[in-house]
Amino acid sequence: MRELSPPPLNLKRLYEETLETEPILLIISAGADPSQELLELAGQIVGRENYHEELNSIKPKAGFRIWLTAEVHVKFTPILLQSSLKVTYEVGLKKNLKRTYESWSSEQISKGGTLARAQALFCLAWFHAVCQERRNYIPQVRRTHHNTGPVTELHIHNSAESRLKGWTKFYEFSLSDLRAGFEIVDRLFEGGKVCQWEYVHGLLENAIYGGRIDHTCDLRVLRSYLQQFFNAQLLAQSLTHSRMKKTHAFPAQIHLPNSCSIAVRDSNTHSQLRSTLYRDYRVLVDSLPEDDKPSFFGLPANIERSAQRIISSQGSALIHQKVTPPSEGVGSPVLSFVQLEQFNAVRLVQNIHQSLASLSKVIRGTSLLTADVHKLATALLNQECPLSWQNKWEGPEDPMQYLRAVVSRALAIQGWVQRAERGALLSEMLDLSELFHPDTFLNALRQETARLMCCSMDSLKFVTSWRGQITEAKLQVKVGGLQLEGCSFDGSRLAESHHDSPIVSAVPACYMAWIPQSAVGSYSPEECISLPVYSSSERLRVVTNVQLPCAGAHDTWIQSGAALFLKLQ
């Protein structure tokens, strides 16, 4: 239905057709970001010096316009929604191509009357759309993880299914990449030169799209796309065969137009007539289905079921997993801790599952409503984490965030147990945010160190080092994934944040250990400061305190509220 497929979004036309007094709210889907287009539009109309990405107490001048972007959220303020013009910024291959051809004029496409050039531009538009929309096939648990360390939630699963995904991570392919690609194709056909496709491959791979990619497998995928969409054989096939002949680089319904006519100006109305070629490509894009097919990206048809099955099977395995509590006082304290952490994690998942199952029975009318089920339902309806869950583990207040946190930690603990049982846990980099009780882990490390040194636990002190391994330590762990707020740190010393500095920054991995009270450690008290490490950015629970070199000026960092935390909430 045409009503369900609105025309492509054009920010400039939106600017011209709306009122100055009405804010414009862009509701974006994951993977879509019109910030670059807004910046360029502002540069054309009011100048970049009059474009701001912050909303403060401002008094608008004549001609002032404000543009907001936000992802969908249940707690989004209704006041702002009611006072704004709501616009959805959708993703999808068809929508992506429509936006591209909305931004290109008929003169740009039919420049020089070269058919091969127009077809190469369509290949570029398709390639750009494929690169961007392939990001939607990244499993959610992988996409939302802050990749500051080598260990992620999905890395602990080594099955073939876990590799069935789009890109291995989210890459910021943007409008600037498309524009640079357009310039390359435009120069490629200047003066009737012979097309040097290797030149196109090299620039797009090494300088533009490939410049954002840092994974070998993803680079292989990009290189394959370049060879598929930018080659002389593809355009030659289109030129020598009939229009109904399928080109192997595109789906069956895609046939590159074989006509090219130059746009002309009507001497009476001076109105610009769109070229036949431009219209043909718009019709071609309109013929695409609204829903993307995995085959458009060269992905297997079952990738969506595979990704869903990976996540659901992991949770299902936890629900049915049978575990026994570890024996107390037997073996390594660190091994005992991770085994107990695994036991408690599985029990927590199963308890949550049982409570939701009880609620489901009440909804379906197969069970009577109890006080516990009523409390559970009331909390969930109010978007609050049930108190019965929080009593077992204090996590995020939002129930969906709580469930994701529980499942991701429960899955990660499986990997901790496997590494601990083979004696490799302390020799690998660890991410303490994967634990339910990271402070207890550090205490278990303290207990194991005391056993190894044949001393009391009270005779040990906790130290950290960013200079390398701690020479005085019998046992130590390398910890990554820490986040810093209130200042920045490069591994050598703290530095003050500037007005354009990121609010939160990653810090290098550090070594943590327990050493004798009489030992010096990596830093003297004068050259370092002890900062708290919180379990999350909400700063509700302190895990430990770490020493960071600061070259004095302790008051500066204390007053700035500098602190570290394990994970973004």
Tab-separated table of all heavy atoms in Angstrom, residues 1-24:
chain	number	residue	atom	x	y	z
A	1	MET	N	0.834	-1.184	0.000
A	1	MET	CA	0.000	0.000	0.000
A	1	MET	C	0.871	1.236	0.000
A	1	MET	O	1.849	1.319	0.735
A	1	MET	CB	-0.901	-0.003	1.249
A	1	MET	CG	-1.914	-1.137	1.287
A	1	MET	SD	-2.884	-1.105	2.836
A	1	MET	CE	-3.627	0.523	2.708
A	2	ARG	N	0.529	2.194	-0.842
A	2	ARG	CA	1.324	3.415	-0.938
A	2	ARG	C	1.326	4.189	0.370
A	2	ARG	O	2.298	4.839	0.738
A	2	ARG	CB	0.774	4.280	-2.065
A	2	ARG	CG	1.535	5.577	-2.255
A	2	ARG	CD	1.081	6.316	-3.491
A	2	ARG	NE	1.307	5.521	-4.693
A	2	ARG	CZ	0.963	5.935	-5.917
A	2	ARG	NH1	0.375	7.102	-6.084
A	2	ARG	NH2	1.211	5.176	-6.959
A	3	GLU	N	0.215	4.098	1.135
A	3	GLU	CA	0.137	4.827	2.395
A	3	GLU	C	1.158	4.323	3.409
A	3	GLU	O	1.561	5.042	4.318
A	3	GLU	CB	-1.283	4.688	2.981
A	3	GLU	CG	-2.347	5.456	2.208
A	3	GLU	CD	-2.791	4.706	0.953
A	3	GLU	OE1	-2.328	3.562	0.763
A	3	GLU	OE2	-3.569	5.263	0.167
A	4	LEU	N	1.558	3.040	3.283
A	4	LEU	CA	2.519	2.470	4.211
A	4	LEU	C	3.950	2.683	3.764
A	4	LEU	O	4.877	2.286	4.449
A	4	LEU	CB	2.252	0.965	4.379
A	4	LEU	CG	0.887	0.603	4.948
A	4	LEU	CD1	0.753	-0.907	5.091
A	4	LEU	CD2	0.669	1.274	6.297
A	5	SER	N	4.145	3.273	2.608
A	5	SER	CA	5.488	3.542	2.102
A	5	SER	C	5.591	5.008	1.731
A	5	SER	O	5.407	5.389	0.574
A	5	SER	CB	5.790	2.657	0.884
A	5	SER	OG	7.100	2.881	0.414
A	6	PRO	N	5.821	5.897	2.693
A	6	PRO	CA	5.859	7.342	2.421
A	6	PRO	C	7.045	7.696	1.536
A	6	PRO	O	7.986	6.908	1.391
A	6	PRO	CB	6.001	7.958	3.816
A	6	PRO	CG	6.656	6.889	4.626
A	6	PRO	CD	6.138	5.581	4.098
A	7	PRO	N	7.023	8.889	0.935
A	7	PRO	CA	8.138	9.309	0.087
A	7	PRO	C	9.413	9.437	0.902
A	7	PRO	O	9.384	9.612	2.121
A	7	PRO	CB	7.686	10.681	-0.448
A	7	PRO	CG	6.666	11.156	0.541
A	7	PRO	CD	5.978	9.918	1.028
A	8	PRO	N	10.566	9.321	0.253
A	8	PRO	CA	11.838	9.402	0.982
A	8	PRO	C	12.012	10.757	1.659
A	8	PRO	O	11.522	11.778	1.178
A	8	PRO	CB	12.895	9.180	-0.108
A	8	PRO	CG	12.205	9.534	-1.381
A	8	PRO	CD	10.775	9.151	-1.190
A	9	LEU	N	12.723	10.736	2.774
A	9	LEU	CA	12.904	11.954	3.556
A	9	LEU	C	13.934	12.863	2.905
A	9	LEU	O	15.032	12.432	2.568
A	9	LEU	CB	13.350	11.588	4.974
A	9	LEU	CG	13.657	12.752	5.901
A	9	LEU	CD1	12.392	13.569	6.147
A	9	LEU	CD2	14.224	12.249	7.216
A	10	ASN	N	13.568	14.114	2.726
A	10	ASN	CA	14.469	15.139	2.217
A	10	ASN	C	14.491	16.269	3.236
A	10	ASN	O	13.497	16.978	3.413
A	10	ASN	CB	13.995	15.648	0.850
A	10	ASN	CG	14.969	16.640	0.233
A	10	ASN	OD1	15.188	17.711	0.772
A	10	ASN	ND2	15.549	16.261	-0.892
A	11	LEU	N	15.608	16.425	3.935
A	11	LEU	CA	15.663	17.388	5.035
A	11	LEU	C	15.487	18.820	4.554
A	11	LEU	O	14.877	19.640	5.244
A	11	LEU	CB	16.987	17.237	5.781
A	11	LEU	CG	17.219	15.880	6.457
A	11	LEU	CD1	18.524	15.893	7.235
A	11	LEU	CD2	16.063	15.535	7.381
A	12	LYS	N	16.018	19.130	3.385
A	12	LYS	CA	15.892	20.504	2.894
A	12	LYS	C	14.438	20.837	2.592
A	12	LYS	O	13.949	21.921	2.938
A	12	LYS	CB	16.746	20.690	1.650
A	12	LYS	CG	16.761	22.134	1.147
A	12	LYS	CD	17.718	22.312	-0.018
A	12	LYS	CE	17.767	23.774	-0.460
A	12	LYS	NZ	18.702	23.970	-1.593
A	13	ARG	N	13.728	19.905	1.941
A	13	ARG	CA	12.313	20.152	1.658
A	13	ARG	C	11.510	20.211	2.953
A	13	ARG	O	10.587	21.016	3.094
A	13	ARG	CB	11.773	19.044	0.752
A	13	ARG	CG	10.336	19.311	0.289
A	13	ARG	CD	9.891	18.375	-0.820
A	13	ARG	NE	9.826	17.003	-0.353
A	13	ARG	CZ	10.575	16.020	-0.829
A	13	ARG	NH1	11.454	16.269	-1.782
A	13	ARG	NH2	10.466	14.799	-0.370
A	14	LEU	N	11.884	19.382	3.931
A	14	LEU	CA	11.222	19.408	5.228
A	14	LEU	C	11.408	20.764	5.898
A	14	LEU	O	10.499	21.315	6.507
A	14	LEU	CB	11.776	18.292	6.108
A	14	LEU	CG	11.053	18.005	7.419
A	14	LEU	CD1	9.630	17.535	7.160
A	14	LEU	CD2	11.812	16.964	8.213
A	15	TYR	N	12.598	21.322	5.762
A	15	TYR	CA	12.899	22.640	6.325
A	15	TYR	C	12.027	23.717	5.678
A	15	TYR	O	11.511	24.616	6.342
A	15	TYR	CB	14.378	22.955	6.107
A	15	TYR	CG	14.776	24.359	6.479
A	15	TYR	CD1	15.132	24.683	7.783
A	15	TYR	CD2	14.794	25.378	5.527
A	15	TYR	CE1	15.491	25.967	8.131
A	15	TYR	CE2	15.154	26.667	5.854
A	15	TYR	CZ	15.503	26.962	7.164
A	15	TYR	OH	15.844	28.228	7.509
A	16	GLU	N	11.855	23.627	4.368
A	16	GLU	CA	11.124	24.662	3.640
A	16	GLU	C	9.609	24.575	3.863
A	16	GLU	O	8.905	25.583	3.775
A	16	GLU	CB	11.424	24.539	2.149
A	16	GLU	CG	12.883	24.826	1.802
A	16	GLU	CD	13.220	24.470	0.365
A	16	GLU	OE1	12.391	23.787	-0.291
A	16	GLU	OE2	14.302	24.862	-0.101
A	17	GLU	N	9.114	23.374	4.181
A	17	GLU	CA	7.664	23.183	4.246
A	17	GLU	C	7.104	23.199	5.670
A	17	GLU	O	5.911	23.002	5.858
A	17	GLU	CB	7.291	21.844	3.582
A	17	GLU	CG	7.603	21.810	2.094
A	17	GLU	CD	7.311	20.458	1.475
A	17	GLU	OE1	6.969	19.516	2.235
A	17	GLU	OE2	7.426	20.332	0.241
A	18	THR	N	7.959	23.423	6.671
A	18	THR	CA	7.482	23.424	8.056
A	18	THR	C	7.624	24.805	8.677
A	18	THR	O	8.298	25.685	8.144
A	18	THR	CB	8.267	22.401	8.894
A	18	THR	OG1	9.676	22.661	8.753
A	18	THR	CG2	7.971	20.988	8.437
A	19	LEU	N	6.980	24.971	9.840
A	19	LEU	CA	6.963	26.259	10.519
A	19	LEU	C	8.175	26.417	11.425
A	19	LEU	O	8.694	25.445	11.975
A	19	LEU	CB	5.683	26.388	11.354
A	19	LEU	CG	4.360	26.275	10.591
A	19	LEU	CD1	3.197	26.286	11.568
A	19	LEU	CD2	4.231	27.400	9.582
A	20	GLU	N	8.602	27.660	11.611
A	20	GLU	CA	9.746	27.935	12.478
A	20	GLU	C	9.440	27.649	13.938
A	20	GLU	O	10.346	27.354	14.716
A	20	GLU	CB	10.183	29.388	12.310
A	20	GLU	CG	10.713	29.722	10.930
A	20	GLU	CD	11.166	31.166	10.834
A	20	GLU	OE1	11.028	31.893	11.844
A	20	GLU	OE2	11.659	31.554	9.779
A	21	THR	N	8.198	27.734	14.318
A	21	THR	CA	7.835	27.572	15.729
A	21	THR	C	7.635	26.115	16.131
A	21	THR	O	7.367	25.829	17.298
A	21	THR	CB	6.529	28.336	16.014
A	21	THR	OG1	5.505	27.858	15.126
A	21	THR	CG2	6.742	29.823	15.818
A	22	GLU	N	7.741	25.200	15.177
A	22	GLU	CA	7.482	23.785	15.468
A	22	GLU	C	8.788	22.990	15.419
A	22	GLU	O	9.406	22.874	14.367
A	22	GLU	CB	6.492	23.212	14.446
A	22	GLU	CG	6.081	21.776	14.739
A	22	GLU	CD	5.078	21.257	13.731
A	22	GLU	OE1	5.127	21.705	12.565
A	22	GLU	OE2	4.252	20.417	14.089
A	23	PRO	N	9.227	22.441	16.567
A	23	PRO	CA	10.442	21.611	16.546
A	23	PRO	C	10.240	20.381	15.662
A	23	PRO	O	9.129	19.887	15.505
A	23	PRO	CB	10.628	21.211	18.015
A	23	PRO	CG	9.821	22.185	18.792
A	23	PRO	CD	8.682	22.572	17.922
A	24	ILE	N	11.329	19.895	15.113
A	24	ILE	CA	11.296	18.706	14.267
A	24	ILE	C	12.032	17.595	14.981
A	24	ILE	O	13.214	17.730	15.306
A	24	ILE	CB	11.935	18.978	12.891
A	24	ILE	CG1	11.147	20.087	12.168
A	24	ILE	CG2	11.985	17.714	12.049
A	24	ILE	CD1	11.751	20.517	10.857
